[in-house]
Structure formats: structure tokens, C-alpha cells
Amino acid sequence: MMKERFAKLLLGEDMSGGGKGVSSALALSNAITNLAASVFGEQKRLEPMAPERKARWRKEIEWLLSVTDHIVEFVPSQQQTKDGSSVEIMVTRQRTDLHMNIPALRKLDAMLIDYLDNFKDQNEFWYVSRDSDEAENGNRKDDKWWLPTAKVPPEGLSDVSRKWIQFQKESVNQILKAAMAINAQVISEMAIPENYIESLPKNGRASLGDSIYKSITVEYFDPEQFLSTMDLSTEHKILDLKNRIEASIVIWKRKMIHKDGKSSWGSAVSLEKRELFEERAESILVLIKQRFPGIPQSSLDISKIQYNRDVGQAVLESYSRILESLAFTVMSRIEDVLYADSLAKDPSLAESGRKPSVDSLPSIGCVKFPDPEEEIQKLNSIGTPTSMTLSDFMGWHLDQGETEPKKDTSESIDDNWKEDEEKPMTKPANINVTNKKLSYIEKLEILGGLRSPTARH
């Protein structure tokens, strides 16, 4: 199996051996994406992963991540000579971005799987097939037809179970934001391909259209108000708006770079106004990503990944993207159970329907994309162990009077990845990521979803 995997990587997925395969970076990115799709694509319910799937994931993702162990950089170091003097030499170590972010992503990975394990003892909700009579009242018109329907007792979930499930959702949401922020940082560092730039019109108005351009360039601008006036009823319309705005930002940034006017990208609009328009467009992109984290990749995202040649960035991008996708999937499954609970208490919801799960995420007031370091610090500050089953939660609340989470005497999970699968996980050790100051556009160029960049839909 290992020989077959690495043969495909070396051949660039061109099994004819004719040298027409994709780059090593894209081949590795696709391998991670496809592995995650085959393992996590079966996660249709809130339940622990099957032991064989869990073992396969941990084994095969380690194979693919092992490439990063050999991506190094030279750093200065001191060496003692025989006469006791010290000399400076250059030694190799793993590249800084990989050294900081790969361990962080591994821990997010382990925490997500552990949250799924927490549902092993629950007995207050179950699943029925979509075509069964019992599923009729619980179906949602906006759901995917192949997913089973979550069911709860006629009186709904108990208060303790509801609070515990809500706690799990909030914890997974923190992982989602952390993975999203790391992914945003990685994709922002990828160069914009020349063929994408060549496909752009020469001004932002042509990219946005007159109506959107006028809305962004008015004297008083509110991104929330702007989105409320846009038709975001379908995934296609959301993605089209994101593509238009990303293209206009790239155009405006290039116009500011060539502000001397000698280039065809030069601009007649003042630099101050150009910066203002760019900042407004970027704030719109932040809101779109926050409200619709499950939308497919934009044209800019796809182009960056397809033409990226940095293997380290390819691994970080694909690994963070599939963790972001898994976290979003787990949150969606949790929302299915909470919806079934709401339906049991108020059957009239079945008539009115419910918005897709992406719209049910809490509204975020500020238009600033999550910073990787801030999100990881929030995860580190969680005072309860990730391995908290429903029975643990009940005892936890009895001890605390349902006031403040019990502080756990934590032990490090640095070695959790390679230890026995059944070992309980406690509060995670501090996770470090690169602390790099990014511009708005760098924080916004992010990916979503699980599929490979060239075959999202």
C-alpha cells in the first residue's frame, strides 16, 4: 500500500509514466484530500469513528505528513571546538512554518476525533433512514438526501443532554475557527498565478458590475447592510459574489503597486480612495466566510492551489482544509440533533422549515478574520477535558452546581497521536503557530470544503 501511494506521488498521478503528471505539491495535496474524503466521507452520524477507519487515518496521514520532516532550512548554531573555543556553523532544521503548524494541526485532528468519541455512551438520540415512516416528520427540505434523520424522545432531550451537546458544539466551533485561521494564513502566502491575473479585467468596476461597485464606493458604507441587499439564496450566487470581490481586490492592489500610472494597471483614482475600497471589499469577504464556512473554493483559491509549487505549503493547506471541513461536518451533525430536539418541543417548525446549518452559526459582530494564534490560545484556555462524555458532564455539573467548568489537572497530549487509541485525552497542551502579521487580503484568501481544488463540484 505504501509503495502504491508513493508511486502515485512520484509519478504526479500520471500512471503512464510519460511525465505529464501534476506537480509534487498538487499530487500531495490531492492525496491528503482524497484520503480524508475516503475516511471521513462515511461520517454521517454523531458517533465514534470505527476503529479500523481511525487506525487507517492515523497511519496513512502520518505517511503523507512524513514528507515535511525532510523540508529543512539552514539556521546558525554554535559549536564547541577541541580547544574550547566556540564557532558558528550552519545546521539544518525543519522549516519554521512546518515546525510550528504541523504539531498544531495534529492536535486539532486528535481533538476532533476525541470529540466524536464522546458520543459513544449517549442514548437520548438515534438515527433512522430517510425512507422510513418515522423519518417523515424530521426531514428538512434543505438537507442532503443521503443523510439519516436524527430522532429524539417525544418530550425532547433532557436539560443536561441539551447543555452537553451545546457544549460539544461550542468546542468543535473553536476547532473550526482555528483550522480556518491557519488555512487562511497558509493560502495567503501562496503567490497569485500569472494566468489568474491575465484573466482579470483592467478595473474593479468591470469585475464587480455597476450595481455592486456603486454600493461599495458610496460615502457611508456598512458591510452588513451591503450583504442584506444581495441575493445570497444559493451557493452559486454566494460563490459568484466572492469571486467578483476577490478579483476586484487583486485589481485594486495591483493598481496601488503601479500607482505611477505608467503600467496598464495604473489608476486614475487616488491612492487613499483605492485603499478604502479595498478595505471595504475585504470586510465583505470576511463576513461571507463567517456566515457561509461551507461554500466551495473560489477561483482565486483554486488557481493558487493548482499552480503552487511549495510542497510544505501544499501539505499545510490541504491538512488544515480537511480539518476545517470535518469540524464543519461535526457541527452540522450536532445541529441536526438540536433541530430534532426543537422539533419535538415545537412541531410547527416542520411547517416553517429551517435555514441551512451554515446560517445557524452565531453572528460575529466584527469584520476581522480569526487570527491563528488567538484561536489556538482560546482552545488552550478551555478548562475541561476534551474527553467528556454525557455521564462525565452530568457529574461535572453536580460538582459545580452548573456554574463554572471544572478545571482539569491537564497532561500534555503531545504524544497522544501515536499512543493507544483508547487513552483518554485531557486538556490540550499549548499549541504554537506562526505569529505573522497579515493584511486583510491575506487573511481572507481562504479555502473551504473537503474536495480537491480541481473537482469541487
Side-chain angles (χ1 to χ4, degrees):
M1 184 184 297
M2 184 181 291
K3 289 178 180 178
E4 179 185 357
R5 296 286 190 276
F6 279 93
K8 289 182 179 179
L9 293 177
L10 291 170
L11 293 170
E13 301 175 357
D14 176 19
M15 305 312 289
S16 70
K20 300 178 181 179
V22 299
S23 67
S24 298
L26 184 56
L28 195 54
S29 174
N30 288 342
I32 294 175
T33 300
N34 294 335
L35 172 61
S38 63
V39 173
F40 298 126
E42 303 173 26
Q43 200 67 39
K44 301 176 183 178
R45 309 178 181 212
L46 275 181
E47 60 186 8
M49 289 176 62
E52 56 273 12
R53 282 200 295 130
K54 188 188 300 185
R56 179 194 169 199
W57 167 251
R58 287 180 169 170
K59 176 177 65 176
E60 297 192 26
I61 193 64
E62 273 301 307
W63 291 351
L64 298 173
L65 294 180
S66 66
V67 175
T68 62
D69 295 336
H70 305 279
I71 300 177
V72 297
E73 62 186 358
F74 281 104
V75 294
S77 178
Q78 295 293 323
Q79 185 181 62
Q80 294 288 334
T81 62
K82 292 181 180 180
D83 60 4
S85 61
S86 180
V87 296
E88 186 178 88
I89 62 172
M90 300 298 288
V91 297
T92 60
R93 73 176 182 189
Q94 188 179 34
R95 206 169 72 188
T96 301
D97 58 337
L98 300 173
H99 178 71
M100 302 299 285
N101 285 317
I102 290 293
L105 291 171
R106 276 184 169 133
K107 291 175 184 178
L108 295 180
D109 185 345
M111 291 168 70
L112 263 178
I113 293 176
D114 196 71
Y115 281 127
L116 285 174
D117 289 342
N118 290 347
F119 289 93
K120 62 183 177 183
D121 295 326
Q122 74 78 29
N123 56 8
E124 290 205 29
F125 65 87
W126 62 94
Y127 293 89
V128 295
S129 61
R130 281 298 169 129
D131 54 359
S132 67
D133 295 335
E134 191 180 357
E136 285 296 318
N137 295 331
N139 279 343
R140 295 185 308 187
K141 295 180 180 179
D142 60 336
D143 268 357
K144 296 180 180 179
W145 60 267
W146 60 84
L147 294 177
T149 301
K151 302 294 291 183
V152 299
E155 66 277 8
L157 299 171
S158 65
D159 288 341
V160 173
S161 291
R162 189 180 306 106
K163 290 178 181 178
W164 175 75
I165 291 177
Q166 187 64 39
F167 172 78
Q168 299 297 313
K169 177 184 174 183
E170 292 169 358
S171 301
V172 174
N173 187 43
Q174 279 301 124
I175 295 180
L176 172 64
K177 291 196 292 183
M180 189 183 298
I182 292 175
N183 186 271
Q185 178 174 307
V186 174
I187 199 72
S188 71
E189 295 170 358
M190 294 182 180
I192 301 176
E194 283 298 323
N195 66 338
Y196 176 84
I197 295 174
E198 292 171 359
S199 69
L200 298 176
K202 287 295 184 283
N203 59 73
R205 182 189 289 268
S207 173
L208 294 171
D210 289 339
S211 176
I212 298 177
Y213 181 81
K214 290 178 181 178
S215 298
I216 291 179
T217 57
V218 293
E219 183 176 358
Y220 300 104
F221 174 76
D222 180 1
E224 295 271 2
Q225 176 65 26
F226 171 82
L227 284 183
S228 68
T229 63
M230 301 301 298
D231 181 6
L232 304 177
S233 56
T234 66
E235 189 177 79
H236 173 76
K237 292 178 180 178
I238 298 170
L239 187 59
D240 180 66
L241 177 62
K242 185 180 179 184
N243 283 333
R244 287 174 178 270
I245 292 179
E246 281 187 339
S248 68
I249 291 174
V250 174
I251 292 171
W252 286 334
K253 286 181 74 71
R254 290 184 66 83
K255 283 180 178 291
M256 287 189 288
I257 293 173
H258 301 286
K259 56 182 177 292
D260 55 6
K262 296 178 181 179
S263 167
S264 60
W265 286 96
S267 174
V269 180
S270 67
L271 179 62
E272 291 75 16
K273 284 189 176 181
R274 192 66 60 196
E275 290 177 340
L276 176 64
F277 297 162
E278 181 196 347
E279 183 176 343
R280 289 176 174 181
E282 288 167 346
S283 67
I284 295 171
L285 279 184
V286 172
L287 287 178
I288 291 176
K289 184 59 180 180
Q290 289 172 342
R291 291 186 181 183
F292 308 100
I295 61 173
Q297 295 162 319
S298 66
S299 299
L300 178 58
D301 297 336
I302 294 173
S303 182
K304 279 191 168 189
I305 297 172
Q306 183 176 357
Y307 291 96
N308 170 55
R309 292 297 182 267
D310 189 303
V311 175
Q313 288 182 339
V315 173
L316 290 176
E317 187 283 321
S318 55
Y319 195 20
S320 59
R321 170 162 44 89
I322 61 98
L323 292 180
E324 178 185 337
S325 178
L326 176 60
F328 179 74
T329 298
V330 174
M331 282 192 63
S332 298
R333 300 294 84 79
I334 292 175
E335 287 180 340
D336 291 340
V337 175
L338 294 175
Y339 172 74
D341 177 56
S342 301
L343 198 61
K345 290 179 169 52
D346 184 7
S348 64
L349 290 175
E351 299 296 329
S352 60
R354 194 192 78 158
K355 291 182 179 181
S357 59
V358 291
D359 292 328
S360 65
L361 292 172
S363 177
I364 305 176
C366 64
V367 286
K368 179 182 178 183
F369 200 78
D371 178 79
E373 186 177 22
E374 291 177 3
E375 297 307 322
I376 295 296
Q377 287 175 350
K378 290 178 183 178
L379 279 172
N380 291 332
S381 66
I382 295 176
T384 54
T386 55
S387 294
M388 177 175 283
T389 62
L390 179 56
S391 58
D392 296 332
F393 189 81
M394 293 173 67
W396 172 59
H397 273 281
L398 288 174
D399 292 339
Q400 298 296 315
E402 297 190 13
T403 55
E404 181 177 323
K406 180 179 179 182
K407 299 299 179 182
D408 181 56
T409 55
S410 65
E411 53 186 64
S412 173
I413 65 167
D414 285 339
D415 300 323
N416 182 74
W417 183 264
K418 295 179 181 178
E419 291 181 358
D420 187 82
E421 294 173 0
E422 299 301 320
K423 177 181 177 181
M425 184 186 299
T426 56
K427 174 184 171 184
N430 287 340
I431 304 173
N432 296 315
V433 295
T434 53
N435 184 20
K436 180 182 177 182
K437 296 295 183 182
L438 305 174
S439 68
Y440 273 105
I441 182 60
E442 288 175 331
K443 292 182 179 180
L444 288 163
E445 294 166 336
I446 52 182
L447 303 173
L450 183 65
R451 285 158 286 186
S452 61
T454 55
R456 296 283 293 182
H457 285 286

